Amino acid sequence: MDLLLNHVNKYYPISQEAQHALRDNFEEIVLPKNELLLQEGKVCRHMYFVQQGCLRSFYNLNGKEITHWFGFEDDFVTSFHSFITQKPAIESLQVMEGSVLWAISKDKLTALFNQHHEIERLVRIVYEQYYIRLEERYVNAQFKTAQELYENLLTQNPHILERVPLGYIASFLGMSQETLSRVRNRL
C-alpha cells in the first residue's frame, strides 16, 4: 500500500486525510500467472494499481486475440470504458505474471470523490495519462511503419521485450509474428 501512496503523490500530492481514506478503501489482490482479472462481457467494477507483475488487455476478433495494452508496476489498470460506464467490457484483462494488485471499487471511488476533491483530481490525472497513451498508440498505428513501431517500442518501453512473449508484442504492434521477426532481424 505504501508503494501505491508514494506513486499517487507523484501524480498529485494529496493530504494525509485523503491518503488514509485511500488506504481504507483499497484491497490487496494476489493473482497467479494467466488468471483473468476481467472477462469480456462482464462489467468492470474495479480500478487496479499494479504493485508487482504484468497484465495485458486483449480483444477477441473472430477467435483471434488482439492485445490492446500492457500494464506493469506502478500502472493503474482497468477496462476504462466498462469501469466508467458500468457496461459490459469488450476486452479481457489477463495477468501474465504472478501479480500483486490493489483494487478499489467504482462505488468506493465515487464516494471518495465526494469526500475528497483532491482524489477526484488525482483520478482525473490518471484518466488523462491513459488518454494520452491511447492517442499516441492510435497515431503511431496510423502513421508509422512496422520498423518504426518496433524501434519506438525499443526506445520507449524496452522492458516489454523482456517480460512479454513476442506473439503478444506483435499483436500489440498490429503486425504478424513473421513481420515482427523480419523487423527484428533487420535491426
Side-chain angles (χ1 to χ4, degrees):
M1 176 54 85
D2 289 336
L3 288 174
L4 168 60
L5 294 175
N6 288 339
H7 186 69
V8 159
N9 281 307
K10 290 178 189 174
Y11 272 102
Y12 181 78
I14 59 174
S15 68
Q16 288 294 319
E17 182 182 349
Q19 288 184 43
H20 288 297
L22 287 177
R23 187 182 300 275
D24 292 343
N25 285 282
F26 271 90
E27 64 179 274
E28 184 180 38
I29 298 174
V30 179
L31 295 172
K33 180 178 180 176
N34 295 325
E35 184 88 10
L36 281 181
L37 183 61
L38 174 69
Q39 186 170 5
E40 171 188 2
K42 306 283 185 184
V43 175
C44 184
R45 303 203 186 278
H46 292 84
M47 178 183 284
Y48 305 91
F49 175 78
V50 182
Q51 178 178 317
Q52 174 187 330
C54 173
L55 293 88
R56 76 177 179 120
S57 163
F58 66 93
Y59 298 93
N60 278 305
L61 181 62
N62 301 324
K64 185 177 177 184
E65 292 180 359
I66 308 297
T67 299
H68 180 52
W69 55 254
F70 300 108
F72 298 94
E73 288 81 8
D74 295 338
D75 283 338
F76 285 96
V77 299
T78 191
S79 173
F80 278 94
H81 186 270
S82 179
F83 181 73
I84 292 168
T85 65
Q86 291 296 278
K87 293 181 179 175
I90 59 172
E91 65 187 311
S92 296
L93 306 181
Q94 180 185 26
V95 175
M96 295 178 49
E97 301 173 351
S99 297
V100 178
L101 310 171
W102 290 92
I104 188 166
S105 72
K106 171 82 168 163
D107 293 339
K108 287 182 179 181
L109 191 58
T110 300
L112 287 177
F113 289 167
N114 295 328
Q115 296 167 0
H116 303 277
H117 293 293
E118 59 196 316
I119 292 176
E120 187 173 32
R121 179 173 283 171
L122 167 70
V123 173
R124 179 184 51 80
I125 293 168
V126 169
Y127 285 174
E128 288 171 353
Q129 294 298 315
Y130 175 78
Y131 176 80
I132 289 167
R133 285 197 326 242
L134 187 65
E135 186 172 313
E136 287 172 349
R137 182 162 159 62
Y138 174 76
V139 169
N140 286 341
Q142 294 295 312
F143 302 112
K144 294 196 177 190
T145 66
Q147 183 166 332
E148 289 171 329
L149 289 170
Y150 183 71
E151 288 172 345
N152 191 43
L153 183 69
L154 278 174
T155 57
Q156 293 189 5
N157 298 296
H159 63 281
I160 290 177
L161 295 167
E162 299 165 4
R163 297 175 70 180
V164 175
L166 288 178
Y168 293 155
I169 292 171
S171 174
F172 173 70
L173 295 175
M175 61 184 79
S176 67
Q177 272 192 268
E178 295 78 17
T179 299
L180 179 59
S181 292
R182 282 195 298 275
V183 167
R184 288 169 51 97
N185 287 337
R186 274 188 246 141
L187 295 178

